[in-house]
């Protein structure tokens, strides 16, 4: 056997897998091959999307299902034994795996990431691969997991038998938490971006601790009924009869897993502190969902619950840890044991990217001052001062501004999808109601067909809240547009929300992240891969803040005898995390005065579209400009591109590579406005070359009469393929399915067509010659 002639997959099958199996690894339960652990970033340009490259490990080895401990990266035998090491290390850092192996079929190079001194890389013979027991012992020694802790750490995950996998970042969060609790840590914080499955992560943590017998009674706390009910009926369903929801102010002590609203257990003045019906040591584990809310404040009633069950282990879950001078998650829970950010979720392709439509209104930018003695439409004398964006819809209502915002929202939906789920965030309940009315009038045709096409969903409105489930459910089209102020900022799993409108002044980074999180879920079944943020209040300027997707830091205010700097100051500075505190003053006693004017005209002075860039920043540029910059970064010159294109056996490979860098050729073709081949699009937009249309290229080939050496039938087939190229582009020439379509079918089956040329090799050669002729003038 000539090992040099074998493909990478052959090396895996014939050498690596037998070596791993021979070391005692169970191929069925402990070894997975070609494991794609990301989805590929969703890239959006215009209305077109594509996915970036999926990260795929050649092998992941598991001590037990869902407990990964090693990665193997394979190369063919024309590479060195360690050629895959750097790629393997990149994956190991992402997957939190300590052992990395590279192999070319001759042996293994091992990197032990648990070591910080001495020999951290060593070569191993093919028959010397470590056994599961050896790697697990080294893993446990590294983590400080002793014999007492092992049964907890090794406890199986729940499996429903479907084989549905847990995402890699959820596994890290679960396994780190279990290990920390096994070693006695009692305060744990997990930070996971909205839409990344905090509840299913919590379920697996609770399940394993419950099954291991170390946490026998568990309390899961949330601050929204919908969060509790979703957990009970979906992710927590396997607990079955052992689970209950605390309702009716009654504490039944016969269950093991309790789900509750903070409000249901703290109560009001008439039925206060229901949690005290339980003894302080009743619960072994308390899990606090959305812990950035009430439980972060030391003087809150919610924190009283945690103080009462102080002996239990407390796990806080949040997408946005809250760190202000008065409120701190980190002070209570400690530094996050794991963070999975919005930026990382988008980069991995698990969360939806966004584009921003920023609309500036003249009065928002310049302000408005009433003329002397001006009264509002209710006859109130308007205080003489300059009113600006801080005032609008709080102390001053400009009716025409509300109508303009409603019109711009409606124009966008009419140009895209009028049934796209839309949330409009307003300043307060009154603003939400006025916006609802304006949107109803802008969409009267659909409202006449669907009474609930536009709804207000606010805390004071039971009719609106009753429609929340219909808005959330992907299969329900109505309501399509909802207006709100605060109610929908958190805890609403609106998977198909495609438009978020910000007509609310937002200064809090925590609130901003929560609102953006309403759109970050992906639902491919309903074509929800990205979403749009329409911003009327400059809120999206927070994207430019250096700490938008960084970790928060504790706000340190030293007392008289405290040191002037906090402990570990350097670490905190490295983490970044300036906190933005809303500077809007509180309402005066008796409530604020609100003037309403209906005779002040407003207009749009600027409108622009920004895209989510690969570095997580918003970019403002045309599709042509982005293509030019990206292609020139990939290809040093036109000659470089021409050489790559000419030498590529599959032109589609270059097209796919460009798309993975965000060059969406179909959208670009629409913008250029001609039926151009991808080749001509790139040469024209990136290198300023005059383009030829596909039809012109096909006509040029026919003029040159290039195929005289072929027989009549073969020439007819090639002419039919030229027609297909002119209609659909080069991709059709590289797809054998074209032979099953008219007019090719008149020449016979695909096998018969290939035989016209004398066989597969001759047919492939003819196709390559056809492609070469198409681009020969380049």
């Amino acid at each position: 056997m000539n090992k040099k002639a074998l493909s990478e997959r052959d090396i895996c099958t014939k050498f690596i897998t037998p070596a791993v199996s021979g070391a005692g690894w169970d191929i069925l339960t402990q070894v997975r091959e070609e494991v794609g652990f990301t989805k590929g970033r969703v890239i959006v340009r215009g209305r077109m999307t594509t996915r970036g490259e999926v990260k795929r490990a050649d092998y992941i080895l598991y001590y037990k299902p869902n407990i990964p401990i090693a990665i193997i990266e394979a190369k063919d035998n024309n590479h060195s034994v360690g050629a895959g090491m750097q790629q393997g290390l990149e994956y190991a850092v992402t997957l939190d795996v300590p052992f990395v192996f590279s192999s070319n079929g001759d042996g293994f190079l091992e990197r032990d990431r648990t070591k910080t001194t001495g020999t951290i890389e060593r070569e191993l013979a093919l028959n010397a691969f470590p056994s599961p027991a050896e790697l697990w012992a080294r893993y446990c020694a590294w983590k400080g997991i002793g014999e007492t802790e092992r049964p907890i750490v090794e406890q199986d995950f729940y499996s429903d038998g479907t084989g549905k996998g847990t995402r890699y970042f959820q596994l890290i969060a679960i396994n780190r938490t279990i290990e920390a609790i096994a070693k006695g840590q009692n305060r744990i914080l997990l930070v996971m971006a909205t839409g990344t499955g905090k509840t299913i992560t919590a379920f697996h943590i609770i399940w394993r601790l419950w099954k291991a017998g170390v946490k026998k009674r568990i309390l899961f706390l949330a601050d929204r009924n919908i969060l509790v009910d979703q957990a009970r009926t979906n992710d927590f369903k396997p607990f079955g009869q052992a689970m209950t929801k605390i309702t009716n102010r009654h504490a039944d002590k016969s269950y093991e897993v309790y789900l509750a609203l903070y409000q249901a257990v703290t109560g009001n003045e008439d039925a206060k502190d229901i949690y005290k019906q339980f003894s302080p040591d009743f619960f072994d584990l308390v899990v606090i969902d959305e812990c950035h809310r009430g439980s972060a404040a030391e003087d809150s009633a919610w924190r009283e619950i945690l103080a009462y069950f102080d002996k239990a282990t407390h796990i806080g879950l949040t997408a946005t840890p809250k760190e202000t001078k008065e409120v701190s998650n980190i002070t209570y829970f400690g530094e996050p044991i794991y963070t999975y950010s919005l930026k990382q979720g988008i980069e991995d392709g698990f969360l939806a990217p966004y584009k921003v439509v920023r609309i500036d209104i003249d009065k928002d930018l310049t302000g408005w001052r009433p003329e002397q003695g001006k009264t509002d439409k209710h006859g109130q004398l308007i205080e003489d001062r300059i009113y600006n964006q801080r005032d609008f819809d709080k102390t001053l209502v400009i009716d025409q501004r509300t109508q303009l915002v409603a019109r711009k929202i409606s124009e966008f939906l009419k140009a895209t999808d009028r049934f796209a789920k839309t949330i409009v965030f307003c300043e307060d309940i009154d603003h939400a109601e006025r916006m609802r009315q304006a949107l109803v009038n802008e969409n009267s045709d659909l409202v006449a067909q669907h009474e609930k096409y536009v709804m207000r969903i606010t805390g004071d409105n039971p009719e609106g809240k009753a429609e929340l489930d219909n808005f959330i459910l992907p299969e329900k089209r109505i309501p399509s547009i909802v207006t709100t102020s605060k109610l929908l900022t958190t805890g609403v799993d609106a998977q198909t929300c495609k438009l978020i409108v910000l007509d609310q002044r937002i200064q809090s980074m925590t609130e901003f992240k929560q609102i953006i999180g309403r759109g970050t879920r992906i639902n491919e079944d309903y074509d929800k891969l990205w979403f749009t943020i329409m911003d009327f209040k400059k809120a999206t300027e927070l994207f430019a803040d250096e700490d938008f997707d960084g970790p928060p830091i504790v706000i340190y205010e030293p007392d008289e005898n405290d040191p002037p700097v906090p402990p570990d100051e350097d670490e905190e500075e490295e983490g970044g995390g300036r906190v933005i505190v809303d500077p809007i003053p509180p309402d005066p006693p008796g409530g604020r005065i609100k003037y309403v004017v209906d005779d002040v005209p407003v207009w749009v002075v600027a409108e622009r579209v920004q895209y989510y860039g690969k570095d997580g920043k918003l970019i403002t540029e045309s599709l042509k400009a982005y293509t030019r910059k990206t292609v020139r970064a990939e290809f040093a010159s036109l000659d470089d591109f021409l050489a790559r294109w000419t030498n590529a056996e599959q032109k589609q490979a270059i097209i796919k590579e460009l798309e993975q860098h965000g060059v969406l050729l179909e959208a670009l073709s629409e913008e250029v406005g001609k039926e151009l081949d991808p080749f001509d699009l790139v040469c024209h937009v990136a290198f300023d070359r005059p383009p030829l249309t596909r039809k012109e290229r096909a006509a040029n080939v026919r003029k040159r009469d290039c195929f005289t050496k072929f027989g009549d039938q073969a020439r007819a087939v090639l002419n039919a393929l030229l027609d297909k190229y002119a209609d659909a582009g080069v991709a059709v020439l590289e797809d054998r399915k074209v032979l099953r379509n008219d007019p090719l079918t008149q020449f016979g089956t695909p096998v018969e067509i290939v035989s016209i040329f004398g066989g597969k090799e001759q047919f492939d050669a003819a196709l390559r010659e056809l492609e070469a002729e198409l681009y020969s003038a380049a």
Side-chain angles (χ1 to χ4, degrees):
M1 180 188 301
N2 180 7
K3 194 182 281 190
K4 299 290 184 187
L6 297 178
S7 67
E8 181 181 299
R9 190 88 306 260
D10 289 333
I11 293 293
C12 291
T13 303
K14 298 179 186 299
F15 297 98
I16 298 176
T17 300
V20 171
S21 176
W25 294 84
D26 187 317
I27 298 299
L28 293 178
T29 62
Q30 293 182 302
V31 180
R32 290 182 63 200
E33 296 186 49
E34 295 189 307
V35 185
F37 56 88
T38 69
K39 295 272 287 183
R41 182 170 70 98
V42 177
I43 302 165
V44 183
R45 289 292 177 274
R47 299 182 196 175
M48 306 299 296
T49 62
T50 187
R51 281 213 183 249
E53 186 177 358
V54 173
K55 290 185 178 179
R56 194 180 306 277
D58 291 327
Y59 291 82
I60 299 181
L61 308 185
Y62 299 80
Y63 179 67
K64 297 192 75 173
N66 294 313
I67 304 179
I69 59 171
I71 285 174
I72 305 173
E73 277 303 305
K75 297 294 179 184
D76 64 39
N77 200 248
N78 295 297
H79 291 81
S80 67
V81 69
M85 181 55 70
Q86 290 188 171
Q87 185 177 12
L89 284 170
E90 178 187 336
Y91 293 167
V93 170
T94 300
L95 298 175
D96 204 25
V97 167
F99 306 111
V100 186
F101 298 87
S102 173
S103 179
N104 64 353
D106 290 338
F108 295 94
L109 179 67
E110 178 195 71
R111 166 71 73 89
D112 187 340
R113 298 180 62 234
T114 70
K115 292 183 177 181
T116 57
T117 60
T119 302
I120 62 175
E121 284 194 1
R122 59 173 181 159
E123 286 200 24
L124 303 172
L126 207 57
N127 62 357
F129 194 83
S131 68
E134 179 187 341
L135 287 189
W136 185 241
R138 286 156 61 185
Y139 178 91
C140 290
W142 173 51
K143 290 281 191 173
I145 299 168
E147 292 301 320
T148 305
E149 295 84 21
R150 277 199 180 194
I152 304 169
V153 174
E154 294 175 4
Q155 176 61 49
D156 290 336
F157 279 66
Y158 170 78
S159 174
D160 61 4
T162 63
K164 182 182 178 182
T166 307
R167 290 172 173 169
Y168 83 85
F169 55 87
Q170 295 168 346
L171 287 183
I172 297 173
I174 295 162
N175 290 331
R176 283 192 185 181
T177 302
I178 296 295
E179 290 169 3
I181 291 174
K183 293 189 291 183
Q185 187 171 328
N186 283 321
R187 298 291 181 268
I188 292 169
L189 179 63
L190 287 174
V191 179
M192 298 173 67
T194 300
T196 56
K198 290 189 293 294
T199 309
I200 190 65
T201 299
F203 163 75
H204 281 295
I205 291 168
I206 295 169
W207 178 271
R208 290 176 67 194
L209 294 171
W210 184 57
K211 283 295 185 180
V214 294
K215 303 297 178 186
K216 298 178 181 178
R217 294 195 186 97
I218 296 99
L219 175 63
F220 178 84
L221 286 170
D223 72 320
R224 298 284 175 90
N225 231 325
I226 190 170
L227 295 175
V228 175
D229 291 340
Q230 284 176 350
R232 186 183 186 187
T233 57
N234 297 320
D235 295 330
F236 281 45
K237 190 175 181 180
F239 287 119
Q241 297 302 310
M243 174 178 59
T244 188
K245 177 183 175 183
I246 297 177
T247 55
N248 302 321
R249 308 293 178 196
H250 176 62
D252 186 337
K253 302 179 182 65
S254 62
Y255 293 89
E256 296 173 73
V257 179
Y258 293 77
L259 285 71
L261 285 171
Y262 281 110
Q263 300 90 322
V265 291
T266 55
N268 52 36
E269 291 304 318
D270 298 324
K272 194 172 184 181
D273 299 344
I274 187 176
Y275 63 89
K276 291 184 179 177
Q277 294 181 33
F278 298 98
S279 64
D281 60 355
F282 184 84
F283 291 110
D284 306 305
L285 175 65
V286 180
V287 179
I288 308 98
D289 196 16
E290 304 292 358
C291 69
H292 64 280
R293 294 174 68 82
S295 61
E298 289 188 26
D299 59 351
S300 72
W302 298 354
R303 180 67 76 83
E304 291 177 15
I305 305 174
L306 305 186
Y308 183 77
F309 297 117
D310 185 65
K311 295 178 183 177
T313 297
H314 295 173
I315 301 174
L317 306 171
T318 182
T320 52
K322 197 161 192 176
E323 301 300 328
T324 70
K325 294 174 182 177
E326 296 79 24
V327 178
S328 174
N329 285 124
I330 292 176
T331 297
Y332 183 79
F333 291 102
E335 293 290 336
I337 199 168
Y338 181 61
T339 297
Y340 188 73
S341 66
L342 171 64
K343 180 179 178 182
Q344 188 62 52
I346 293 174
E347 183 61 31
D348 287 342
F350 295 120
L351 295 180
Y354 42 83
K355 70 176 181 180
V356 174
V357 178
R358 169 81 177 272
I359 299 174
D360 293 330
I361 297 173
D362 67 314
K363 299 299 186 293
D364 290 22
L365 301 180
T366 63
W368 176 77
R369 182 176 181 180
E371 62 266 25
Q372 188 173 7
K374 183 172 179 60
T375 58
D376 76 351
K377 74 176 188 179
H378 301 303
Q380 295 184 97
L381 180 65
I382 302 175
E383 180 187 352
D384 182 17
R385 65 179 178 85
I386 295 176
Y387 294 83
N388 56 33
Q389 194 177 69
R390 179 192 293 256
D391 300 295
F392 296 148
D393 296 302
K394 284 182 174 288
T395 57
L396 177 72
V397 173
I398 301 177
D399 278 344
Q400 291 190 35
R401 185 189 181 285
T402 306
Q403 293 160 15
L404 175 61
V405 171
R407 184 165 69 252
K408 296 304 292 184
I409 295 169
S410 303
E411 286 173 358
F412 179 87
L413 292 172
K414 288 172 183 177
T416 53
D417 175 8
R418 296 189 73 184
F419 290 97
K421 295 292 179 74
T422 301
I423 305 176
V424 185
F425 286 95
C426 303
E427 292 287 0
D428 54 25
I429 290 174
D430 170 64
H431 184 201
E433 172 55 25
R434 288 185 290 101
M435 187 60 68
R436 183 198 66 81
Q437 295 172 25
L439 286 164
V440 164
N441 289 330
E442 288 291 336
N443 296 276
S444 54
D445 57 335
L446 283 183
V447 173
Q449 301 173 45
H450 310 281
E451 290 285 348
K452 297 180 179 180
Y453 174 71
V454 184
M455 293 290 291
R456 169 168 64 91
I457 301 181
T458 50
D460 70 325
N461 185 257
E463 294 81 13
K465 288 194 289 186
E467 292 299 319
L468 182 56
D469 282 349
N470 287 330
F471 178 73
I472 290 172
L473 288 173
E475 58 268 25
K476 299 286 188 180
R477 298 180 78 190
I478 305 297
S480 296
I481 307 172
V482 300
T483 66
T484 190
S485 57
K486 301 291 185 185
L487 187 62
L488 303 186
T489 58
T490 184
V492 176
D493 187 10
Q495 295 179 15
T496 54
C497 178
K498 293 184 177 181
L499 177 62
I500 289 176
V501 179
L502 304 178
D503 199 26
Q504 179 186 109
R505 191 167 181 267
I506 303 168
Q507 295 296 108
S508 160
M509 186 66 80
T510 297
E511 184 178 11
F512 180 64
K513 282 187 176 184
Q514 287 290 337
I515 288 174
I516 297 307
R518 298 315 101 209
T520 54
R521 287 168 173 82
I522 284 177
N523 189 318
E524 299 193 46
D525 292 340
Y526 287 86
D527 196 30
K528 165 63 189 307
L529 287 165
W530 57 282
F531 67 106
T532 301
I533 303 166
M534 183 175 284
D535 179 17
F536 292 92
K537 290 285 181 81
K538 297 185 179 180
T540 50
E541 289 182 353
L542 288 173
F543 281 128
D545 191 284
E546 61 183 8
D547 303 317
F548 166 67
D549 204 32
I553 60 171
V554 176
I555 300 299
Y556 180 70
E557 288 191 317
D559 292 331
E560 183 178 349
N561 298 320
D562 287 336
V565 294
D568 301 319
E569 183 193 32
D570 290 341
E571 290 182 22
E572 291 181 354
E573 287 182 351
E574 288 174 7
R578 177 168 55 84
V579 177
I580 296 178
V581 180
D582 194 340
I584 297 174
D587 292 342
R592 60 178 179 257
I593 298 173
K594 184 177 284 189
Y595 305 110
V596 182
V597 294
D598 58 1
D599 57 353
V600 176
V602 296
W603 57 86
V604 172
V605 294
E607 185 170 346
R608 61 183 178 275
V609 177
Q610 297 171 297
Y611 294 95
Y612 180 91
K614 189 173 182 180
D615 60 356
K617 304 295 185 183
L618 288 175
I619 55 175
T620 306
E621 58 187 332
S622 71
L623 191 56
K624 287 182 181 179
Y626 179 84
T627 300
R628 185 183 183 90
K629 182 178 72 176
T630 304
V631 171
R632 290 194 165 197
E634 187 70 15
F635 301 98
S637 64
L638 174 61
D639 288 341
D640 185 23
F641 174 71
L642 292 177
R644 283 278 300 280
W645 185 269
T646 302
N647 295 329
E649 287 191 17
Q650 290 279 319
K651 313 303 184 194
Q652 197 62 24
I654 296 179
I655 295 170
K656 184 177 180 181
E657 182 182 337
L658 289 171
E659 288 179 341
Q660 288 176 348
H661 285 84
V663 178
L664 302 188
L665 294 166
E666 189 173 343
L668 188 64
S669 181
E670 288 183 10
E671 188 169 311
V672 172
K674 296 181 180 179
E675 292 185 345
L676 301 183
D677 186 281
F679 173 85
D680 284 283
L681 274 174
V682 171
C683 290
H684 175 57
V685 173
F687 300 108
D688 301 317
R689 291 295 297 268
L692 294 175
T693 66
R694 295 193 300 269
K695 286 184 170 60
E696 287 170 338
R697 285 199 175 276
N700 286 344
V701 172
R702 288 196 175 96
K703 287 176 186 175
R704 292 197 294 271
D705 198 16
C706 308
F707 303 118
T708 55
K709 68 179 180 181
F710 294 99
D712 291 344
Q713 270 196 307
R715 284 201 304 275
V717 169
L718 291 172
N719 273 301
L721 287 171
L722 271 177
D723 289 335
K724 286 291 185 184
Y725 165 83
D727 291 337
V730 70
V732 75
L733 300 181
E734 298 179 347
D735 187 350
R736 286 293 174 83
K737 291 178 183 176
V738 69
L739 301 181
R740 297 191 180 97
N741 298 328
D742 290 333
L744 277 304
T745 52
Q746 66 181 304
F747 302 106
T749 65
V751 173
E752 290 169 338
I753 294 173
V754 168
S755 67
I756 291 172
F757 292 82
K760 181 178 180 301
E761 288 186 12
Q762 292 87 341
F763 177 72
D764 289 342
L767 276 183
R768 287 194 296 271
E769 189 173 337
L770 173 58
E771 284 188 358
E773 289 294 338
L774 280 168
Y775 303 111
S776 63

